Amino acid sequence: MFYFTKTPAFLKTLYKSCIWNFSPAVPAVYLTFDDGPHPKATPFVLEQLKKYEAKGTFFCIGKNVVEHPDIYQQILLDGHAVGNHTHNHLNGWKSPNDKYLANIREAAGYIRSDLFRPPYGRISPFQIRELKKDYRIIMWDILSADFDKELTGEECVQNVVFKLQPGSIVVFHDSEKAWDRMSYALPRILEHCKRRGWRCEAIL
């Protein structure tokens, strides 16, 4: 499995209408969580964020919101941001445009947000143009790679710590697949941000 843990400049240029990071002038980082809500992982994330007085952004799958509406409501009650991550975790490169856009509209019936993140980061120029009419497309600067079962939790920590700087958008996953690595890495990243004096803020 090949992926970049630090998004290279050429990708940011290629998809320059998407948001990859924010200004480094503000001492804040942006932790994001994909694929929830999940009955075990999401409450853990919420507990850790509360412990560190941090805010996050949750890119939710519509069908998971339908299955776990109470957890979704808790995300909102705790003051975090939410975004649309399609209804069924569709890959934009492998989905017909009409099906892909319809799936996002279906998710929008449950997720009220003008933020969108494409699953796998895979989205076509046409899809971007259409979605930009209603959404800010949020990508990322740093991938924790907590989804990768060949990594340890400590390796996920290192993927983030050695690249993290103010303005960074970081991806974690509140999912079953990522649980072992995310649950290890997230508290350590929050502690690192606290030591550096960086706020963890939601994307609003």
Side-chain angles (χ1 to χ4, degrees):
M1 184 190 309
F2 177 78
Y3 51 82
F4 297 105
T5 55
K6 174 72 173 176
T7 304
F10 80 86
L11 272 180
K12 294 182 180 181
T13 301
L14 193 62
Y15 294 96
K16 60 185 177 182
S17 63
C18 300
I19 297 170
W20 295 91
N21 56 270
F22 294 104
S23 170
V26 178
V29 298
Y30 303 84
L31 305 183
T32 67
F33 303 89
D34 288 7
D35 300 350
H38 181 274
K40 179 169 68 171
T42 308
F44 172 83
V45 171
L46 293 174
E47 176 186 300
Q48 294 300 311
L49 293 176
K50 185 175 288 186
K51 178 180 176 181
Y52 284 90
E53 299 182 334
K55 297 300 181 188
T57 305
F58 292 77
F59 288 93
C60 298
I61 294 173
K63 73 175 183 62
N64 289 345
V65 173
V66 173
E67 291 172 7
H68 306 290
D70 53 334
I71 302 174
Y72 179 74
Q73 286 303 316
Q74 192 61 52
I75 294 171
L76 297 174
L77 286 170
D78 285 1
H80 303 294
V82 295
N84 189 320
H85 199 47
T86 76
H87 198 72
N88 299 100
H89 205 259
L90 296 189
N91 182 329
W93 291 359
K94 296 181 178 180
S95 304
N97 290 327
D98 56 348
K99 179 181 178 182
Y100 188 70
L101 296 172
N103 200 260
I104 294 164
R105 287 194 296 273
E106 184 177 1
Y110 306 99
I111 303 163
R112 300 189 66 176
S113 175
D114 71 341
L115 305 179
F116 175 75
R117 171 173 285 162
Y120 315 101
R122 292 175 181 170
I123 188 169
S124 73
F126 174 83
Q127 292 161 357
I128 289 173
R129 285 195 301 273
E130 290 300 302
L131 290 168
K132 287 278 290 181
K133 298 172 184 176
D134 300 303
Y135 292 96
R136 288 176 289 157
I137 301 173
I138 309 296
M139 301 298 255
W140 59 83
D141 190 39
I142 298 170
L143 200 59
S144 70
D146 57 357
F147 56 83
D148 189 340
K149 293 184 177 182
E150 295 187 4
L151 298 184
T152 65
E154 184 57 36
E155 286 173 314
C156 293
V157 172
Q158 293 172 13
N159 283 341
V160 178
V161 164
F162 293 139
K163 303 173 182 72
L164 193 64
Q165 60 186 4
S168 290
I169 300 174
V170 184
V171 179
F172 287 100
H173 293 80
D174 51 336
S175 68
E176 189 70 33
K177 181 179 180 181
W179 168 253
D180 289 345
R181 290 158 298 282
M182 183 277 289
S183 60
Y184 178 91
L186 178 60
R188 289 160 175 81
I189 297 305
L190 287 164
E191 184 63 34
H192 174 75
C193 292
K194 181 181 178 181
R195 288 198 304 267
R196 295 300 299 266
W198 297 339
R199 301 189 306 275
C200 295
E201 294 190 349
I203 301 171
L204 301 173

